[in-house]
Amino acid sequence: MAEGKINPMKEIKVDKLILNCCVGESGDRLTRAARVLEQLTGQQPVYSKARYTLRSFGIRRNEKIAVHVTVRGEKALEILERGLKVKEYELLQQNFSETGNFGFGINEHIDLGIKYDPTTGIYGMDFFVCLTRPGNRVSKRKVRRAHLGYSHRIAKEDAIKWFQDKFEGVVLAKAI
């Protein structure tokens, strides 16, 4: 290939950003966590239910215990940037999956720039980023579905390189 030309089909972009806030109980704390996610994203969050009863944690089957929201496009990149700023653009090697996605968590939502409200409290949340390449739709569509070639899949190394190039981030081998 000629010098300086890159294949536009190989460019990696953010498909979606999932924000998850697990409270571990239903009720007032869960609705306040949903309000925090709505403030952050401007979208209505979805409630997640417990799969089965765990008496030691005090949760019952089908009880709402968490809220999550999926963000796409420019808004996803902007929220991801704020989340990485909290982590000081440092992630661990184990934050990246073999399929080219990565995730991390923050302890306090007020670090993202949301003003602290004593009636709401402080909530931590998980960020999970799904990366994709153009042409990935062939493996997802309903009609004429096809397999994605091995060279077109995003590997762990590709995701790490994208993170380092895009955000000038640091990937540490182990926690300090």
Side-chain angles (χ1 to χ4, degrees), residues 151-165:
S151 62
H152 204 65
R153 292 185 184 144
I154 300 175
K156 183 174 186 172
E157 292 76 31
D158 297 333
I160 290 173
K161 186 174 180 331
W162 176 84
F163 170 70
Q164 289 169 336
D165 292 345

Side-chain angles (χ1 to χ4, degrees), residues 35-41 82 108-117 120-121 125:
R35 200 167 351 134
V36 166
L37 281 181
E38 194 168 354
Q39 277 180 349
L40 183 63
T41 62
R82 284 162 56 187
E108 298 180 352
H109 75 275
I110 55 174
D111 294 337
L112 295 170
I114 298 175
K115 194 169 180 297
Y116 174 68
D117 183 13
T120 304
M125 59 185 69

Side-chain angles (χ1 to χ4, degrees), residues 62-132:
N62 289 332
E63 180 182 13
K64 293 178 180 176
I65 58 169
V67 287
H68 68 273
V69 64
T70 302
V71 188
R72 297 174 195 268
E74 287 300 317
K75 194 188 292 183
L77 273 174
E78 183 245 313
I79 294 171
L80 175 62
E81 182 86 37
R82 284 162 56 187
L84 286 170
K85 198 177 290 179
V86 173
K87 297 296 274 185
E88 296 172 350
Y89 298 97
E90 286 185 358
L91 293 179
L92 299 176
Q93 189 96 26
Q94 65 190 28
N95 288 66
F96 292 85
S97 73
E98 293 300 322
T99 55
N101 304 316
F102 67 95
F104 58 93
I106 61 167
N107 294 329
E108 298 180 352
H109 75 275
I110 55 174
D111 294 337
L112 295 170
I114 298 175
K115 194 169 180 297
Y116 174 68
D117 183 13
T119 59
T120 304
I122 295 177
Y123 293 96
M125 59 185 69
D126 301 319
F127 285 67
F128 196 77
V129 182
C130 294
L131 300 176
T132 187

